[in-house]
């Protein structure tokens, strides 16, 4: 099990979903997260802080994902970048824990 503080950036196109993601990402004591709806906001967030995980959420097309991953990788080479398909907060927690364990 990973210990420490995990910073998570979530990028999606649906404002209502991203509002929920913002709340979920900041609920656990050992996480802090930011949810954004535009690529420009994501790039600005990465320039301002280091993130451990970047989630690509609802509304990002496959075509956008390829280009976005390239740019995100150049801005945050150590971050795990993955597609997030949704689900409840328990599923999100399990997904994050799996990614962190896989990274070790």
């Amino acid at each position: 099990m990973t210990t420490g503080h995990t910073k998570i950036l979530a990028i999606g196109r649906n404002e209502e979903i991203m509002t929920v993601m913002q709340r979920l990402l900041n609920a656990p004591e050992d996480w802090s997260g930011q949810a954004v709806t535009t690529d420009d906001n994501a790039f600005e967030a990465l320039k301002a802080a280091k993130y451990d995980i970047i989630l690509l959420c609802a509304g990002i097309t496959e075509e956008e994902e390829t280009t976005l991953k390239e740019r995100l990788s150049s801005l945050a080479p150590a971050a795990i970048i993955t597609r997030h398909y949704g689900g409840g907060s328990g599923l999100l927690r399990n997904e994050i824990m799996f990614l962190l364990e896989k990274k070790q």
Side-chain angles (χ1 to χ4, degrees):
M1 184 78 77
T2 302
T3 59
H5 193 81
T6 303
K7 288 190 60 83
I8 305 164
L9 177 63
I11 308 163
R13 304 297 186 233
N14 183 297
E15 191 170 324
E16 288 146 359
I17 290 173
M18 299 316 292
T19 298
V20 172
M21 282 296 290
Q22 179 77 26
R23 180 179 51 80
L24 293 174
L25 293 175
N26 288 288
E29 285 183 17
D30 55 344
W31 294 3
S32 60
Q34 183 171 356
V36 299
T37 57
T38 69
D39 296 352
D40 287 341
N41 287 343
F43 303 146
E44 289 302 315
L46 288 171
K47 290 175 185 173
K50 180 183 174 196
Y51 289 87
D52 303 296
I53 297 173
I54 301 170
L55 301 174
L56 305 179
C57 303
I60 295 176
T61 66
E62 287 183 30
E63 296 80 19
E64 287 176 308
E65 181 176 346
T66 301
T67 305
L68 190 52
K69 277 185 174 180
E70 289 175 11
R71 178 80 190 274
L72 294 170
S73 292
S74 70
L75 291 171
I80 299 168
I81 303 170
T82 190
R83 174 65 82 162
H84 172 69
Y85 291 100
S89 60
L91 290 173
L92 177 63
R93 177 91 182 160
N94 288 339
E95 178 182 359
I96 297 301
M97 297 311 296
F98 174 77
L99 291 170
L100 291 172
E101 288 173 10
K102 192 169 106 173
K103 184 176 181 179
Q104 290 183 347

